[in-house]
Amino acid sequence: MNDQPNSDPSQPTPPPPADGVKEATDKALALAKDGVATLKKLDLPAQIYLGGLALAFLCAVFFDVISIKLTMAGAPIDGALFGGISKSLGSYPAYKTNSGILAALAALGGIGIWIWNHKSGKNNSWVPKALAGCAGLSALMYLVLMFNSRPSSSLEMVEVNVDMTLLGFWLPFAGAVAATVVAVRRLKTAA
């Protein structure tokens, strides 16, 4: 038995109080403004590192990494030669592959370690190695994803084209490589 008033399923649920939504929105905007202001205060290598790994993480989550297209070459049917038929089979997100998940998690881990180290103010000797390792692992996992996505077609007239997308692969891969370069340079200067 339901003791709540107005619990009729045909009745629309009342909207949440506007004050709570406005308060949460204001807090989120203030937090975002603080984050952007803090990012602007950082030196260029730190901005490149954080921006590259943020790009690697966000693109892995929101964009498809692979587009798949099936092409049939001209096949003789009843003495007539038909032209190529092409069909797009869709695309595949990075978060549905083990390599894509590891690339995104490594990028997120690098960002987390950097923020933790920056906020704590400590100068731990393992942090530059961990930052380089996270960025390098993210870039490496994007490469593994690319090499694992090469199709093998057993029919001679059917060709499967797997293309790496700009926003899902090339841009995050470039961001992870840039973050790796910055982290390795800092690692060399720290040594």
Side-chain angles (χ1 to χ4, degrees):
M1 180 135 202
N2 196 349
D3 294 339
Q4 293 180 344
N6 295 335
S7 63
D8 185 12
S10 64
Q11 297 292 329
T13 58
D19 293 339
V21 172
K22 182 166 175 30
E23 224 175 90
T25 305
D26 290 342
K27 284 182 182 179
L29 285 174
L31 194 65
K33 285 180 184 178
D34 288 345
V36 169
T38 303
L39 189 64
K40 286 181 180 179
K41 292 177 187 175
L42 298 175
D43 59 342
L44 184 61
Q47 289 177 353
I48 292 172
Y49 183 83
L50 291 174
L53 288 185
L55 190 65
F57 174 74
L58 292 174
C59 287
V61 172
F62 291 114
F63 297 109
D64 292 334
V65 70
I66 302 168
S67 67
I68 305 167
K69 189 175 183 182
L70 179 68
T71 305
M72 254 178 86
I77 300 176
D78 293 335
L81 186 66
F82 289 95
I85 299 171
S86 181
K87 171 89 173 143
S88 175
L89 298 178
S91 55
Y92 204 72
Y95 61 82
K96 288 192 176 181
T97 64
N98 291 337
S99 302
I101 292 170
L102 283 174
L105 288 177
L108 191 61
I111 293 170
I113 291 170
W114 192 95
I115 291 172
W116 170 81
N117 188 51
H118 184 71
K119 292 282 185 185
S120 70
K122 296 179 180 178
N123 219 0
N124 295 319
S125 61
W126 60 269
V127 170
K129 294 173 188 169
L131 294 176
C134 287
L137 181 62
S138 182
L140 179 67
M141 288 298 106
Y142 273 106
L143 276 178
V144 167
L145 181 64
M146 182 176 74
F147 291 129
N148 282 344
S149 64
R150 296 293 169 213
S152 59
S153 177
S154 60
L155 301 174
E156 51 184 71
M157 293 202 287
V158 176
E159 181 183 346
V160 179
N161 294 322
V162 176
D163 296 320
M164 308 313 284
T165 62
L166 177 66
L167 293 176
F169 177 78
W170 293 109
L171 205 57
F173 177 62
V177 168
T180 303
V181 168
V182 166
V184 168
R185 282 188 181 167
R186 282 216 166 155
L187 189 61
K188 285 183 177 181
T189 59

